[in-house]
Amino acid sequence: MTQRSADLLLLTVIAARGTSYLLAKIGLGGIPPLELLAVRFFLTTLILCLIFHKRLGQMTKGLLKAAAGLGAFLFACMACEIISLTMIASSTAAFLENTSSLWVLLLAAIACRRWPQKHIIAAAVLLIIGIALLTLHGSRLNLAPGELICLAGSVFYAFWILFTARLARQHDPLLLGIVQMGFLALYSAVSTAVFETPLVPTDGTTWGAILALVFICSVFGFTFQPVAQKYTTAEKAGLFTAFNPLIASCLGFLFLGETFSTAQLAGAAAIIVGLVLAAKKGTAA
């Protein structure tokens, strides 16, 4: 696979994830958050194992260990995202979580023991301003619990991107993506048993949202991101996430009636400008 093809696949994969906020918001109407994750990723793992069952024989202890670690970071991210969606609008969650694109660049700079470049610092300032305006409540600038949880998820997602970039080059990336889905299902199921009272969805709307999450966002999305990242960079994977909030905001406006105040709209714009600034300079660097 060429880098251009990998970039196109990565962009498509991340765009598909932009639909997850709307679909999760709909699904939460009929099932608790952690159980939604458990059902979604159990079905995802089952489907992937049926399709790619021949690859399972190539599994090694090293790959199993890598998948368990990636699955832990991804579960932390997804748990924060789904819980925050019970408290805040899907569009707000999308903007906050996708600040991960900048965290990737900052963490990469720290890992290389170098001071972040000027454009990264400028982008960070824009994101801080944007987050402050986006989380404006009345006349108060503060982060509500749901917004804090969502930001925590963005940090976990940044770590997942960075570790995926490293481990996808050491193992079969497709098999790595499949096995991490299995661990994600396991972690979600255990958390459901500990923290929630499971429910069986009885309406078609909830099941429709769950199945869309399975096929669009999981089977295609998370599974093929390691494949794409084998042929491109972690920084680019983080930068492409700038498209997510735009997609999620449009879907939230069209289907959930979500709107921004003037201050929140300015905050969203500041976040987009910051992400684009980091993306343009980061790609050229």
Side-chain angles (χ1 to χ4, degrees):
M1 181 183 292
T2 65
Q3 182 170 345
R4 185 170 183 176
S5 298
D7 289 345
L8 181 59
L9 174 60
L10 184 59
L11 183 59
T12 306
V13 162
I14 291 176
R17 272 215 72 212
T19 66
S20 67
Y21 301 93
L22 170 66
L23 295 171
K25 200 79 170 176
I26 294 172
L28 287 169
I31 190 172
L34 295 176
E35 185 185 356
L36 176 58
L37 291 184
V39 174
R40 169 184 172 181
F41 291 111
F42 172 78
L43 291 176
T44 298
T45 304
L46 180 62
I47 292 168
L48 290 173
C49 286
L50 289 173
I51 297 173
F52 300 106
H53 61 277
K54 292 183 179 180
R55 284 185 179 256
L56 298 179
Q58 303 172 19
M59 194 181 309
T60 64
K61 289 184 179 179
L63 186 143
L64 198 64
K65 184 178 179 180
L70 287 179
F73 278 106
L74 191 52
F75 169 70
C77 166
M78 296 302 298
C80 288
E81 176 188 304
I82 200 74
I83 291 171
S84 73
L85 283 171
T86 65
M87 308 177 190
I88 60 177
S90 64
S91 51
T92 300
F95 275 100
L96 293 177
E97 184 176 329
N98 285 284
T99 56
S100 60
S101 59
L102 184 63
W103 308 151
V104 168
L105 297 174
L106 292 174
L107 289 170
I110 293 171
C112 294
R113 298 182 180 180
R114 56 180 168 82
W115 187 254
Q117 299 177 19
K118 291 181 180 179
H119 67 274
I120 298 300
I121 297 174
V125 171
L126 282 170
L127 257 67
I128 291 171
I129 294 172
I131 290 170
L133 291 173
L134 191 63
T135 57
L136 181 66
H137 299 284
S139 59
R140 295 179 297 112
L141 284 169
N142 72 308
L143 288 167
E147 293 158 349
L148 284 170
I149 292 171
C150 195
L151 278 174
S154 74
V155 176
F156 285 122
Y157 188 45
F159 276 108
W160 180 77
I161 289 173
L162 289 169
F163 284 119
T164 294
R166 177 186 301 176
L167 295 173
R169 288 175 168 82
Q170 300 174 8
H171 305 281
D172 178 342
L174 180 57
L175 185 57
L176 182 64
I178 294 170
V179 178
Q180 77 169 340
M181 289 295 105
F183 278 105
L184 188 47
L186 175 62
Y187 299 148
S188 301
V190 171
S191 299
T192 298
V194 173
F195 298 109
E196 295 178 343
T197 301
L199 299 173
V200 178
T202 57
D203 62 290
T205 300
T206 300
W207 278 113
I210 291 173
L211 291 176
L213 283 167
V214 168
F215 287 101
I216 297 174
C217 304
S218 299
V219 172
F220 174 68
F222 281 122
T223 303
F224 285 93
Q225 184 158 343
V227 177
Q229 279 197 236
K230 183 175 183 178
Y231 303 95
T232 188
T233 64
E235 287 83 358
K236 192 166 289 186
L239 297 172
F240 281 169
T241 62
F243 289 94
N244 256 348
L246 292 175
I247 296 169
S249 295
C250 291
L251 293 175
F253 173 77
L254 291 173
F255 297 102
L256 299 176
E258 297 176 352
T259 58
F260 286 138
S261 67
T262 303
Q264 289 174 323
L265 190 60
I271 290 174
I272 289 297
V273 172
L275 296 179
V276 171
L277 174 64
K280 291 179 68 175
K281 296 292 186 178
T283 304

